[in-house]
Amino acid sequence: MRIKYIGVAVTAVTLFVAIRVAISLDPGAISTPALHTSVLLLRVFLVVLIARYLLLLWLGYLHHIESGGTPAADDAALAPVTIIVPVFNEEQVILSALQSLLALDYPEFHILVVDDGSTDRTLELASTLGGDYGRVSLTVVTKSNGGKAAALNTGLALAKTPYVLCMDGDSRLHPATLRHAMAHFDDPRVAAVAGNVKVVNRNNIWTRLQALEYIEGLNLARRAQGFLRIVNIIPGPIGVFRRDVLSSVGGYDSDTFAEDADLTLKLVTAGWHVVYEERAIAWTESPEIFVDLIRQRYRWTRGILQALRKRASVLSSPRGQIVTWISVASMFFEAVLWPTVNILGGLLFTIAALSAGVTSGIFYWWMLLTMLDVAAALYTIVTEEEDLALVPYAVVYRFLFITMIDVAKLFATIEEAANVNMTWGKLARAGRI
């Protein structure tokens, strides 16, 4: 019930501040037509901003209530699962990742490590754990370097179980992850389950802000999508699939920089349901250096745009597939439109307020966005029973973090439209997992 009360408080306080911001700039008192138009546009932006937050919070709350009533499946109903772990130069984290898998609370599963031509000790270290552990086995195979998508497809071809879990080599899973995820496959329309990704290395301001972003930003949207069964990105660190469905859509493609988003859209546009399970948790190592963080988000955005370009026909015309269109359109909105609107909205508001001589409006604007972020952070952190010490970071979340991420997304969008060449890149691992 406390989550419900927090949601009510969020709504009331946010609406009060939003109204105060809106009346701080009176378009009737501005003689310049350009400024008059700008203020009207800003009011529209505020409506969209508030509506987006409230819609995500409400749908997320409904999903939380719904998923809380879904018990984990018992042993008799659990089918064997193959866990595919593609790795390339992960010597810093591979042992921790594999040891976390061996500790999973699940009756029968098989770990398949696919070494994608590593040049460090990844293959050697992973091989030390190879063998049988009762109803659990760990097998290591190696192939020439061909990229993550090719490594995952190799694992998919070797897997024999009806279900597969695909993860990253720099992640570790919560012991109950598989048990909670598999309960969703009782619904024959569900092809995949997206898990809950959390940042493990919360050791500086950038990683703590990313930890907050995963909880407040990424998971908030994914929880809302999960309630509607239209999750549009299954995260790389944790995704569980029906193997036959994954094979029927051709597995992973290597023609984008976001193979996870591309595969998810494959499933959604084929008519399958993709759900979200917040109790299926994967801990991942996030970039600790600002430059690495920007490079990662740049690649993510380029990859998402590439995946969307492949579904341009779906985006431009629903053709009776309204649920599919909503899923694809929401990806486009969050990846392209919303970052652009955030940047332009902030600049437009500041210019309009200064030109109109209403500098107090800038203060109320900052207060509104900060209160939205603090309220959303508190709501989502309480929902996930996360660390409340992350809430204060919401004060600087938007202006220190989200703005820079949105700028990186904007540049990535421009360069993708201009077909600027880029390479995949490899983030340095600190061995935190």
Side-chain angles (χ1 to χ4, degrees), residues 187-209:
D187 184 346
R189 298 169 297 176
V190 172
V193 178
N196 181 352
V197 181
K198 294 180 179 291
V199 173
V200 68
N201 53 325
R202 306 176 184 185
N203 57 322
N204 64 31
I205 187 170
W206 298 117
T207 54
R208 292 186 187 109
L209 284 168

Side-chain angles (χ1 to χ4, degrees), residues 205-207 209-210 213 289-291 293-298 301 339-340 342-343 396-412:
I205 187 170
W206 298 117
T207 54
L209 284 168
Q210 286 174 82
E213 179 200 21
I289 303 172
F290 175 71
V291 173
L293 170 62
I294 294 301
R295 287 173 179 166
Q296 181 194 63
R297 301 317 169 86
Y298 174 88
T301 303
T340 303
N342 271 335
I343 295 170
V396 295
Y397 174 71
R398 180 165 300 276
F399 297 98
L400 179 66
F401 184 78
I402 291 299
T403 299
M404 290 183 290
I405 297 298
D406 284 345
V407 169
K409 290 180 178 180
L410 183 59
F411 276 103

Side-chain angles (χ1 to χ4, degrees), residues 8-320:
V8 173
V10 168
T11 304
V13 174
T14 299
L15 287 176
F16 170 78
V17 178
I19 293 171
R20 185 66 184 86
V21 172
I23 65 176
S24 68
L25 288 177
D26 179 13
I30 299 175
S31 57
T32 306
L35 287 178
H36 182 90
T37 303
S38 297
V39 172
L40 290 177
L41 289 175
L42 283 167
R43 287 185 166 181
V44 173
F45 172 65
L46 277 177
V47 172
V48 175
L49 181 74
I50 300 300
R52 175 181 177 273
Y53 263 96
L54 296 183
L55 180 63
L56 291 179
L57 288 169
W58 176 242
L59 291 176
Y61 172 70
L62 294 177
H63 179 271
H64 179 74
I65 297 300
E66 180 183 66
S67 62
T70 304
D74 56 29
D75 288 2
L78 294 173
V81 178
T82 297
I83 302 175
I84 304 173
V85 190
V87 292
F88 175 73
N89 289 354
E90 301 286 7
E91 66 177 5
Q92 294 289 335
V93 295
I94 187 62
L95 288 179
S96 296
L98 297 182
Q99 287 166 352
S100 79
L101 297 182
L102 292 172
L104 288 176
D105 175 23
Y106 199 79
E108 181 179 350
F109 59 96
H110 309 282
I111 305 167
L112 180 56
V113 181
V114 182
D115 176 68
D116 191 39
S118 295
T119 57
D120 63 1
R121 298 177 61 230
T122 298
L123 178 60
E124 175 189 346
L125 294 173
S127 297
T128 63
L129 295 177
D132 294 328
Y133 302 82
R135 300 183 70 185
V136 176
S137 67
L138 193 155
T139 304
V140 182
V141 298
T142 187
K143 58 180 288 294
S144 58
N145 183 257
K148 182 181 175 182
L152 286 165
N153 286 335
T154 296
L156 181 61
L158 294 174
K160 305 300 182 185
T161 58
Y163 300 94
V164 295
L165 183 154
C166 297
M167 61 177 289
D168 291 339
D170 64 335
S171 304
R172 61 179 173 86
L173 304 184
H174 186 279
T177 289
L178 260 180
R179 192 174 289 274
H180 286 300
M182 291 300 294
H184 291 277
F185 290 109
D186 288 343
D187 184 346
R189 298 169 297 176
V190 172
V193 178
N196 181 352
V197 181
K198 294 180 179 291
V199 173
V200 68
N201 53 325
R202 306 176 184 185
N203 57 322
N204 64 31
I205 187 170
W206 298 117
T207 54
R208 292 186 187 109
L209 284 168
Q210 286 174 82
L212 177 61
E213 179 200 21
Y214 276 56
I215 298 167
E216 176 188 340
L218 303 181
N219 285 349
L220 177 60
R222 196 167 286 137
R223 190 179 292 112
Q225 294 168 0
F227 179 72
L228 300 174
R229 274 60 170 178
I230 56 170
V231 174
N232 53 31
I233 299 181
I234 301 170
I238 172 65
V240 188
F241 305 86
R242 295 185 190 270
R243 183 175 61 85
D244 58 343
V245 174
L246 204 54
S247 298
S248 70
V249 299
Y252 289 85
D253 290 343
S254 57
D255 57 352
T256 75
F257 285 96
E259 70 287 327
D260 305 310
D262 182 56
L263 176 66
T264 310
L265 290 183
K266 271 188 177 185
L267 296 173
V268 171
T269 54
W272 291 96
H273 288 186
V274 178
V275 300
Y276 172 65
E277 176 51 68
E278 63 185 66
R279 297 168 296 179
I281 298 172
W283 295 89
T284 191
E285 184 176 304
S286 65
E288 298 186 359
I289 303 172
F290 175 71
V291 173
D292 287 343
L293 170 62
I294 294 301
R295 287 173 179 166
Q296 181 194 63
R297 301 317 169 86
Y298 174 88
R299 176 177 64 80
W300 285 4
T301 303
R302 291 283 300 262
I304 288 172
L305 291 174
Q306 291 160 359
L308 286 169
R309 182 181 295 172
K310 295 169 65 176
R311 281 90 189 174
S313 60
V314 176
L315 189 60
S316 61
S317 176
R319 290 182 299 188

Side-chain angles (χ1 to χ4, degrees), residues 353-407:
L354 291 175
S355 300
V358 191
T359 54
S360 62
I362 298 176
F363 169 76
Y364 285 116
W365 177 264
W366 173 84
M367 180 184 291
L368 168 64
L369 296 183
T370 300
M371 289 180 65
L372 279 170
D373 287 326
V374 170
L378 182 60
Y379 184 97
T380 52
I381 286 171
V382 169
T383 298
E384 294 196 20
E385 299 182 356
E386 259 282 0
D387 185 4
L388 288 172
L390 291 174
V391 174
Y393 287 91
V395 175
V396 295
Y397 174 71
R398 180 165 300 276
F399 297 98
L400 179 66
F401 184 78
I402 291 299
T403 299
M404 290 183 290
I405 297 298
D406 284 345
V407 169

